[in-house]
Amino acid sequence: MTYRDLNTPLRTIMTPGPVEVDPRVLRAMSTPIVGQFDPAFTTIMNEVMEMLRHLFQTKNKWAFPVDGTSRSGIEAMLCSVIEPGDKVLVPIFGRFGYLLTEICERYGAEVHTLECEWGTVFDQKVIIDEVRRISPKITAIVHGETSTGCMQPLDQIGAACRELDCLLIVDAVATTGGTPVKVDEWFIDGLIAGTQKCLSVPSGMAPITFNDRVEKVINARKKVERGISTDEDRIREQQLNHSFIKSNYFDLSMLQDYWGPRRLNHHTEATSMLYALREGLRILLEEGLDARFNRHLHHERALIAGIEAMGLALYGNRECKLPMVTCVTVPAGVEPESVRSMLLHEFGIEIASSFGPLHGKIWRIGSMGYSCRKENILFVLGALEAVLIRHGAKVETGKALQAALDVYQEKI
Amino acid sequence: MTYRDLNTPLRTIMTPGPVEVDPRVLRAMSTPIVGQFDPAFTTIMNEVMEMLRHLFQTKNKWAFPVDGTSRSGIEAMLCSVIEPGDKVLVPIFGRFGYLLTEICERYGAEVHTLECEWGTVFDQKVIIDEVRRISPKITAIVHGETSTGCMQPLDQIGAACRELDCLLIVDAVATTGGTPVKVDEWFIDGLIAGTQKCLSVPSGMAPITFNDRVEKVINARKKVERGISTDEDRIREQQLNHSFIKSNYFDLSMLQDYWGPRRLNHHTEATSMLYALREGLRILLEEGLDARFNRHLHHERALIAGIEAMGLALYGNRECKLPMVTCVTVPAGVEPESVRSMLLHEFGIEIASSFGPLHGKIWRIGSMGYSCRKENILFVLGALEAVLIRHGAKVETGKALQAALDVYQEKI
C-alpha cells in the first residue's frame, strides 16, 4: 500500500482562524522530541507557563495549555468549575456564545442567557445589572466573537463580578495575542485562548489561565485517579463535600498537578505542539505586546480603507469591531460562495463565510498573527476586486489598493 | 522580553511512550498549513480515515483521530456510549485498567471490575463468563498494559460479547502499529489507539474506530450545538429518548459530522498533527503491517537475549508479554532511579520506571515504532551494563551485546 508524499498547496489564509503559521514555528515543530518527564522537557513546560503569564498580563500561578483545540480549553475551564445546578449567566452576541451555553448545559448548569442583536455587543452595565439580579456562580462570556466580528468590552464586568462573588470566565480564543487581554486588571478569573488565531501556531492547544478563586473551587472537587493516587489523596477525597469533576481529561485539578511540582502523570504532553507554542510565544514576546497590538490595528486600517474604497460596506457596529476580523456585506446579486471559491482556486486565498443567520450575508476576512501583514492585505484586496468584477458586481475599480497603500505610507 | 531559541538534547528514547518520532514525520510537521475546509485539507482528512482503516484491519465507516492525547480518545469513546446507570465491566490487569474504571465512573456508569495479579492477564473464558453473569452494556478492556508489560489476548472475547449483546471497547493505545490489532476479526466494537507509541508520531492525537453498533448508540443521543444546528436537528432531538452526551468536545455524534460529508464545524482540526499522523501512517503502510509486527518481535528478541545474558530477570509472565515493552526486575541493592538518571545524563538514554505497586521494583524498556531499531537496542544494552557495573550490581560482563548480536545475525 503506497500513498504519496504530503503535498499541499501554499495558501494565503485570511480567515478568522486557522491562520498562517509563522515559519519559525513550523521549523520548531520539526525538532526531535524528548520524553515528557525529561528535565529538558519540564524546563520547557515551565518556560511556556512563564511566557503565558506575560501574554495574559497576569500574576496567576496557573497558566498552561490544555491538549486539544480551543474548545477543549473552554470545556476544561467550565466543567472544572460547574457543578450540576450551578447558575451560570451567558451573555450571547454570536455563535460562540451559544457554544458556552451548550457546554454549561451539558454539565448540568442552570443557564441564564442575555442576548443582543448580532453585529453589536452589550453595554457592560446591562451585564452587571443581570449579575446583580440573578446572582450566578459564574458569568461566562466571549471576548472576540469571530462569527460577527464584534468585541465585547470587558474592563468593568470583572470588578463587578468580584464584588458580587461571581466568577468571570472569558473565551478570548480570537483576541489573545492580537489585542489587549488584561486578565488581572480586568479581574478575569478564568480565561481561555487559542493557538491558531493571533498566536499563529497550529490548532491543537488551548492555553488557559485561572486565579486562586477558580483554584479553590477546583481543589474542593479534586480527585486523583486510581492507579496513581496516594493514601493521602484518598483520605482527602473522602472528606470532600463537592461533586467530582465529570471529565478525567479536562479535570483541571489533575492538570495542575501535572504542570505543577508534583508532576503527576496524567496525559502525555503533546510535545511538538508545545514546541510550537513556545516558539509562537517567544516570537510574540520578542515583538512585544504593544507593538503586536498596534500592528493588528495598522493592517486593519489598511484593509478597511481598501474595502470601503472599493465601495463595499462593512457589517456590524464599528465601535465594537474586532480588530482582527473584518466582516464585509455581500453586495446584492453576488453569489457569496462563488466568490470565495474563485478566490481560493484562482488566487490561493482563503476568506471565510459565517454561521447561522449570517451565512451567505457576509464574508469574514481575518488579519491575525502572521497572516496580518502588508503583502497579504494588499493581495486579498486586489484579488477581491478582480473576483467581484468577474462576478459582475458594481465596484469602484483601481481604488482599493491605492487606499491601502495610502495607509501604509502614513507615519505610524 | 527575550527567550532563547528552542534547544533540546537529542535523546535515545526507550520508554513505553512517547518514543522517538520518525524524521520524516517531523519534517511533515513543518509543512505550511491550509484551512480546515480547504479541499486540499478535507482530502487529507479522508486519506487519513482510509489509512486508519488499513491499520485497524477494519471495514468500519468511522476511523478518525480525536484531537487530544490518547486518553482523550478513550474518554470520547466511553462518554459517547455510556449513559448514567449503564453497567460496564472492566477487567483490570494494570494501571490503565483503573483509568478505564475512572472514566466510566465519572460518567455515571455502574462499574463492575475483575482483577488479576499484575504481571499476568486473564483467561478469556473468565471474562466471557463474567459478561454472561452480569450482562453489562459495555466491556472495556486494555489490550497492551504498559504499566506491567502484559498483553491481553482478545481473539475470543469479542465474539462472545456480540452474542451476549455487549459492546466491546478496547484501549489499544500501546499496541496499535506494533502488533496485530484485528478490529473486525476480533469483533471489537470501538477501539482507541495512540500516536506516540508504535506509530512514532508525537503525542496529541488519538486515532479511534467504531462500528455501526456503536454508531447506533451514539446517534440515539445525538445533539447538534445551537448556533449551527438546523430545524431538522432540533426536531429530531425533541424525539430522542436517550440522554445527550455530556461532553461537547468528545461528542462522537458531532465528530462524525465533522469527519463525514456534512463537514459540520465542530473544532478546528489540529492541522500539523494531522500531517504528522498521515505521514506516520504512510510510513507504516509502506513498511507493511506484517513486516512491522515482525520487526518489533525481532528487536524484542535481541533485547531479551541481552537482558538475560547480563543476568537480569524479566518481570511478568512471558506467555503474555507485550512485545514492545520489556520489564526488567531491579536487582537487589540497586537504587533504580539512580540508574535511570545515569542512563539519561551520561548516555542520553531514557528508560521508564513504573506506577503504584511496581514503582521502584521494575524498569520498563520500550521498543516501539521508530525507537525499535538495532542501534537503539544495542546502545541501551551496552549502557545498562556499564551503569549497573558503576552501581556495584553483580552482572555478567561483556555478554549482553554478544547475545543481542547473535540474534541479529540469525536469518529471519
Side-chain angles (χ1 to χ4, degrees), chain A residues 3 11 50 75 203 247 268, chain B residues 3 38 50 75 203 247 268:
Chain A
Y3 283 87
R11 303 293 199 201
E50 191 181 275
E75 184 158 333
S203 174
S247 170
T268 298
Chain B
Y3 283 86
D38 193 314
E50 189 181 276
E75 186 159 332
S203 174
S247 169
T268 298

Side-chain angles (χ1 to χ4, degrees), chain B residues 13 18 32 92 97 119 168 173 232 269 282 303 325 342 352 374 380 404:
Chain B
I13 311 182
I92 300 172
L168 177 62
V173 167
E232 203 181 319
E269 186 55 19
R282 193 179 75 85
L303 177 62
V325 180
M342 190 170 171
K374 187 157 63 174
V380 76

Side-chain angles (χ1 to χ4, degrees), chain A residues 79-314:
Chain A
C79 83
S80 292
V81 295
I82 293 174
E83 291 193 67
D86 279 348
K87 214 183 277 181
V88 183
L89 173 65
V90 182
I92 300 171
F93 59 105
R95 173 194 165 185
F96 292 99
Y98 286 112
L99 175 61
L100 297 179
T101 66
E102 177 80 19
I103 296 172
C104 292
E105 278 170 5
R106 291 195 186 216
Y107 284 96
E110 178 189 321
V111 178
H112 295 251
T113 59
L114 276 177
E115 301 206 30
C116 68
E117 199 189 337
W118 284 32
T120 69
V121 297
F122 294 92
D123 180 335
Q124 293 184 76
K125 202 179 160 301
V126 171
I127 295 173
I128 294 168
D129 286 347
E130 191 70 1
V131 174
R132 190 166 282 124
R133 199 177 70 81
I134 66 169
S135 296
K137 174 175 164 185
I138 300 152
T139 296
I141 190 165
V142 172
H143 185 213
E145 183 56 83
T146 54
S147 65
T148 63
C150 290
M151 182 161 75
Q152 172 65 50
L154 290 176
D155 58 322
Q156 294 161 34
I157 299 171
C161 283
R162 190 73 49 109
E163 197 185 302
L164 297 163
D165 199 23
C166 170
L167 294 174
L168 178 62
I169 309 281
V170 174
D171 164 358
V173 167
T175 48
T176 303
T179 191
V181 173
K182 300 178 176 177
V183 171
D184 289 359
E185 193 179 315
W186 295 349
F187 297 97
I188 294 169
D189 297 297
L191 182 130
I192 306 99
T195 50
Q196 80 280 15
K197 298 184 188 270
C198 298
L199 297 186
S200 280
V201 166
S203 174
M205 276 197 159
I208 64 170
T209 187
F210 53 91
N211 63 15
D212 50 357
R213 284 161 42 93
V214 168
E215 188 180 355
K216 197 176 149 203
V217 174
I218 291 168
N219 284 344
R221 310 180 67 191
K222 180 172 179 172
K223 182 186 183 201
V224 176
E225 71 191 47
R226 270 188 296 172
I228 53 170
S229 60
T230 61
D231 288 343
E232 204 181 318
D233 288 320
R234 287 182 289 267
I235 290 166
R236 187 187 42 69
E237 281 159 24
Q238 281 162 8
Q239 293 162 350
L240 295 182
N241 46 13
H242 286 272
S243 65
F244 299 131
I245 294 164
K246 274 281 171 201
S247 170
N248 169 292
Y249 192 71
F250 292 138
D251 184 330
L252 291 182
S253 76
M254 284 203 287
L255 284 171
Q256 279 178 175
D257 278 344
Y258 180 70
W259 285 89
R262 188 172 170 186
R263 292 283 174 220
L264 189 81
N265 189 283
H266 180 253
H267 60 287
T268 298
E269 185 56 17
T271 322
S272 304
M273 280 301 302
L274 195 73
Y275 289 177
L277 178 58
R278 183 190 181 281
E279 185 66 3
L281 292 169
R282 193 179 76 84
I283 291 167
L284 180 145
L285 295 173
E286 197 178 81
E287 179 176 8
L289 286 177
D290 288 339
R292 194 173 180 99
F293 302 153
N294 285 332
R295 169 164 63 84
H296 280 83
L297 289 173
H298 188 209
H299 293 296
E300 180 202 26
R301 213 138 46 78
L303 177 62
I304 291 175
I307 293 289
E308 293 190 328
M310 223 182 290
L312 297 175
L314 296 197

Side-chain angles (χ1 to χ4, degrees), chain B residues 27-259:
Chain B
R27 195 175 54 198
M29 295 191 87
S30 66
T31 308
I33 76 160
V34 294
Q36 63 170 330
F37 293 117
D38 193 314
F41 191 69
T42 51
T43 300
I44 291 171
M45 290 172 77
N46 290 339
E47 278 177 351
V48 168
M49 290 177 79
E50 189 181 276
M51 290 165 153
L52 286 174
R53 285 185 205 106
H54 286 291
L55 170 66
F56 292 135
Q57 305 187 45
T58 184
K59 294 195 166 63
N60 283 346
K61 178 175 170 192
W62 299 114
F64 54 79
V66 172
D67 283 5
T69 68
S70 308
R71 69 169 60 196
S72 77
I74 299 174
E75 186 159 332
M77 187 72 74
L78 290 173
C79 82
S80 291
V81 294
I82 292 173
E83 291 193 66
D86 279 348
K87 216 183 274 182
V88 183
L89 173 65
V90 183
I92 300 172
F93 58 104
R95 173 194 164 184
F96 292 100
Y98 286 113
L99 174 60
L100 296 179
T101 66
E102 178 79 19
I103 295 172
C104 293
E105 279 171 5
R106 290 194 186 217
Y107 284 96
E110 179 190 319
V111 178
H112 294 251
T113 59
L114 277 178
E115 301 206 30
C116 68
E117 200 189 338
W118 285 32
T120 68
V121 296
F122 294 92
D123 181 336
Q124 294 184 75
K125 201 178 161 299
V126 171
I127 295 173
I128 294 168
D129 286 347
E130 190 70 1
V131 173
R132 190 165 283 123
R133 198 177 71 80
I134 66 169
S135 296
K137 173 176 165 185
I138 300 151
T139 296
I141 191 165
V142 172
H143 186 212
E145 183 55 84
T146 53
S147 65
T148 64
C150 290
M151 182 160 74
Q152 173 64 51
L154 289 177
D155 58 323
Q156 294 160 35
I157 299 170
C161 283
R162 190 72 49 106
E163 197 186 302
L164 296 164
D165 199 24
C166 170
L167 294 173
L168 177 62
I169 309 280
V170 173
D171 164 358
V173 167
T175 49
T176 304
T179 192
V181 174
K182 300 178 177 177
V183 170
D184 290 358
E185 192 179 317
W186 296 348
F187 297 97
I188 294 169
D189 296 298
L191 182 129
I192 306 98
T195 51
Q196 79 281 13
K197 299 187 188 267
C198 298
L199 298 187
S200 280
V201 166
S203 174
M205 276 198 160
I208 64 170
T209 187
F210 52 92
N211 62 16
D212 49 358
R213 283 160 45 91
V214 168
E215 187 180 354
K216 197 177 149 203
V217 174
I218 291 169
N219 283 344
R221 309 179 68 191
K222 180 171 179 172
K223 183 186 182 199
V224 176
E225 71 192 49
R226 270 189 294 173
I228 52 169
S229 60
T230 60
D231 288 342
E232 203 181 319
D233 288 322
R234 285 181 291 266
I235 290 166
R236 186 187 42 71
E237 282 160 22
Q238 280 161 10
Q239 293 162 350
L240 295 182
N241 47 12
H242 285 272
S243 65
F244 300 130
I245 294 163
K246 273 282 171 198
S247 169
N248 170 291
Y249 192 71
F250 292 138
D251 185 330
L252 291 183
S253 76
M254 284 204 287
L255 284 171
Q256 279 178 176
D257 277 344
Y258 180 69
W259 284 89

Side-chain angles (χ1 to χ4, degrees), chain A residues 11-14 18-22 196-197 199-201 368-373 376, chain B residues 33:
Chain A
R11 303 293 199 201
T12 299
I13 311 181
M14 300 303 278
V19 304
E20 295 171 23
V21 175
D22 191 299
Q196 80 280 15
K197 298 184 188 270
L199 297 186
S200 280
V201 166
M368 293 176 158
Y370 189 73
S371 283
C372 179
R373 57 189 205 276
N376 278 19
Chain B
I33 76 160

